[in-house]
Amino acid sequence: MKDRLVFWGKKDDAQKVLITIDLNEDEGSYEVKIMKAENVSEEFDNLVRNQWRNGSDDVVFPEISENFEKELSLTNALLPKEYEVERDDLIKMAQAEWNFLVLSKRLKNTYSHELNELEETIEQLEEFSQDTWNNMKNFWNKVQQQIREKNLARRHGNDIRKRTNELFSNLKELRSKAEESFSKESEKNKAFFEEKLDDIKSKIEDGKSLRHLFEELKQVQKKFKKSNFTKKDQSSIWNKLDGLFKEIKEKKYGKASAGNSPLDKTKRRLDGLKSAIERMEKSISRDKSNLGFQESKIQNADGQLEAQIRKAKLSMIEERIKSKETKLEDMLNTEVQLKKRIVSLEKQEEIDKKEAERKAAEEAVKNRIANEIKESHLEFKSNPKVQKAAEKIGSSKKAKTDNSESKAENAAKIISGVVKASAPNP
């Protein structure tokens, strides 16, 4: 959720307005600016959504009809009752998450003070100190526990993590010998796995049993996961390992070729949607489980601040569940529509298939008849009696013109007799 929100809404269910809400995380408050629709240009609408909402302060606002600042609260609505927005669910979600962010920021500030002291200690070190290293580990374990339980917002946890990593890096510089040893171990492991993978690749090219090679690759993968590597060496070995898995699958099953018909596309879309529905249901289930966990933790909270954080998280989780359930309902409706479309496309495909078969049969009949006619014509022309009759017709053309008609009739009779004579008896 962003710290700045922009909504179109209405005042007193009549006047259209543009509303911007800006969270002040440090103070635990937020600022609201309201502008009448007639004062908002399309250009400003784009700027405030694409730049101001993403953190830019260079956007110049038009005439503001109302501007106020309020303290953030879980119980009081973000906007006065006379205002309604198009996405009320996002407003409620923002309110829950912003309350959590404010409390998380206070917890972050507590850890920041402790981190400042560790930072001063490390800056004064001239050589590696195991005690300081242990103090850093204890500090980070404590922070990590809060991150795992999501009592720290991601942005705050990342800030602490970044500073902590910098201090660990400073300590690691004092442990250069250990790093050098790790690098040598990585180099040795890389050479070992490269030899193993090259051997498997040779066996694939020699046509060895793919099933056994696949199992051998799986064993290599297990060892790989337990071995130490630098990031570069790990990436190099993983690419080779992954490539060999793909090569074996292609040789065994062939390259996958997805259909491009509307039915194939719809089936793939339905498969993807089913996976998304399954993930969403699991996500909702985890949120509900987390909800119960947070409710039980409130009773044993370590101080008022932790209790407030967990209450804020309860509200945030509840709103998140509502939002996900709405999305899940849309996904389930889409699933029903896709299933109906698949049935319709399958019927149409069957109709198209029968029509194609009918046309193919018609075309086959036409071709057969054409071939029979052609063969009969060639046989007719090659008949010696027909050729002799044709020669007589040719010679008759040289006769005198006054006998032409009579000889033409005689030639026709000759051809007719030849055809009858050559025709098979019934």
Side-chain angles (χ1 to χ4, degrees), residues 115-171:
L115 200 55
N116 289 339
E117 295 177 0
L118 287 167
E119 194 171 29
E120 290 179 6
T121 301
I122 293 172
E123 284 178 354
Q124 295 172 4
L125 287 176
E126 294 181 358
E127 58 183 15
F128 178 73
S129 167
Q130 187 63 48
D131 289 340
T132 305
W133 177 269
N134 292 338
N135 289 338
M136 279 295 302
K137 282 182 65 177
N138 291 336
F139 168 79
W140 178 241
N141 288 337
K142 182 168 55 177
V143 173
Q144 208 170 27
Q145 179 68 24
Q146 299 291 352
I147 291 174
R148 276 197 295 266
E149 293 187 4
K150 298 184 179 179
N151 292 332
L152 269 174
R154 178 176 296 181
R155 66 177 73 169
H156 301 146
N158 287 342
D159 287 343
I160 297 293
R161 180 186 285 108
K162 183 179 179 181
R163 290 185 61 192
T164 304
N165 285 342
E166 289 175 356
L167 295 182
F168 271 121
S169 295
N170 292 338
L171 287 172

Side-chain angles (χ1 to χ4, degrees), residues 23 35 38 63 71 74 115 141 143 180 207 216-217 224 239-240 249 258 305 307-308 312 348 390 412 417 420:
L23 172 67
M35 292 142 280
E38 56 264 29
E63 181 182 343
E71 185 178 349
L74 269 175
L115 200 55
N141 288 337
V143 173
E180 185 178 350
E216 189 175 346
L217 261 185
F224 168 79
N239 289 337
K240 287 187 176 183
K249 287 179 181 178
L305 178 58
Q308 288 178 319
Q348 186 60 47
K420 289 179 180 178

Side-chain angles (χ1 to χ4, degrees), residues 193-210:
F193 282 100
E194 281 182 338
E195 183 179 353
K196 282 281 187 185
L197 296 177
D198 288 343
D199 180 57
I200 293 175
K201 184 171 181 63
S202 297
K203 291 178 181 178
I204 294 173
E205 293 172 351
D206 291 341
K208 302 294 184 182
S209 170
L210 295 177

Side-chain angles (χ1 to χ4, degrees), residues 245-257:
F245 271 120
K246 290 177 180 177
E247 187 175 344
I248 289 178
K249 287 179 181 178
E250 283 185 7
K251 284 184 176 293
K252 191 172 183 179
Y253 303 109
K255 291 185 178 180
S257 56

Side-chain angles (χ1 to χ4, degrees), residues 199-420:
D199 180 57
I200 293 175
K201 184 171 181 63
S202 297
K203 291 178 181 178
I204 294 173
E205 293 172 351
D206 291 341
K208 302 294 184 182
S209 170
L210 295 177
R211 183 171 64 85
H212 289 105
L213 291 176
F214 190 82
E215 291 301 319
E216 189 175 346
L217 261 185
K218 286 171 66 177
Q219 295 302 317
V220 172
Q221 186 184 44
K222 287 182 180 179
K223 291 181 181 178
F224 168 79
K225 290 180 178 179
K226 295 177 182 178
S227 302
N228 292 324
F229 291 97
T230 63
K231 188 174 182 180
K232 183 179 178 181
D233 290 345
Q234 184 183 49
S235 177
S236 175
I237 296 299
W238 172 253
N239 289 337
K240 287 187 176 183
L241 184 65
D242 186 54
L244 288 177
F245 271 120
K246 290 177 180 177
E247 187 175 344
I248 289 178
K249 287 179 181 178
E250 283 185 7
K251 284 184 176 293
K252 191 172 183 179
Y253 303 109
K255 291 185 178 180
S257 56
N260 291 318
S261 70
L263 178 59
D264 290 330
K265 290 179 180 178
T266 306
K267 285 182 176 180
R268 290 198 299 273
R269 185 182 171 194
L270 179 60
D271 290 340
L273 182 62
K274 285 180 178 178
S275 297
I277 288 173
E278 185 178 352
R279 291 194 300 271
M280 182 63 77
E281 288 174 340
K282 288 181 179 178
S283 178
I284 292 173
S285 177
R286 285 195 301 269
D287 284 342
K288 288 182 177 179
S289 176
N290 191 16
L291 193 66
F293 173 77
Q294 295 298 335
E295 287 174 344
S296 64
K297 280 283 188 177
I298 288 177
Q299 305 300 324
N300 301 314
D302 186 13
Q304 186 177 3
L305 178 58
E306 184 179 341
Q308 288 178 319
I309 288 175
R310 294 195 182 279
K311 287 179 181 178
K313 285 175 67 178
L314 278 178
S315 177
M316 183 175 67
I317 294 169
E318 287 170 351
E319 292 299 329
R320 189 162 63 229
I321 290 173
K322 289 178 184 177
S323 177
K324 289 180 180 180
E325 286 177 338
T326 300
K327 290 179 183 178
L328 179 61
E329 185 178 354
D330 291 339
M331 292 164 75
L332 292 172
N333 290 335
T334 303
E335 182 185 26
V336 172
Q337 293 171 5
L338 288 177
K339 286 181 178 178
K340 289 181 180 179
R341 176 167 171 76
I342 286 174
V343 172
S344 175
L345 288 171
E346 285 176 339
K347 289 181 180 178
Q348 186 60 47
E349 196 171 84
E350 185 64 27
I351 292 171
D352 292 343
K353 182 181 178 181
K354 290 181 179 178
E355 179 65 16
E357 290 174 350
R358 184 187 65 78
K359 288 183 178 179
E362 286 183 356
E363 191 65 25
V365 171
K366 287 179 182 178
N367 290 336
R368 181 172 58 80
I369 293 173
N371 288 332
E372 289 176 354
I373 291 172
K374 185 177 180 181
E375 290 173 359
S376 298
H377 179 67
L378 291 173
E379 183 181 355
F380 182 77
K381 287 183 68 177
S382 63
N383 190 306
K385 294 181 179 180
V386 174
Q387 291 177 358
K388 187 175 180 181
E391 289 174 359
K392 289 183 179 181
I393 292 172
S395 63
S396 68
K397 288 183 180 179
K398 297 179 181 179
K400 294 180 180 180
T401 55
D402 53 347
N403 295 323
S404 60
E405 291 183 2
S406 176
K407 289 187 176 183
E409 291 176 0
N410 290 334
K413 290 178 181 179
I414 292 171
I415 292 174
S416 176
V418 169
V419 170
K420 289 179 180 178

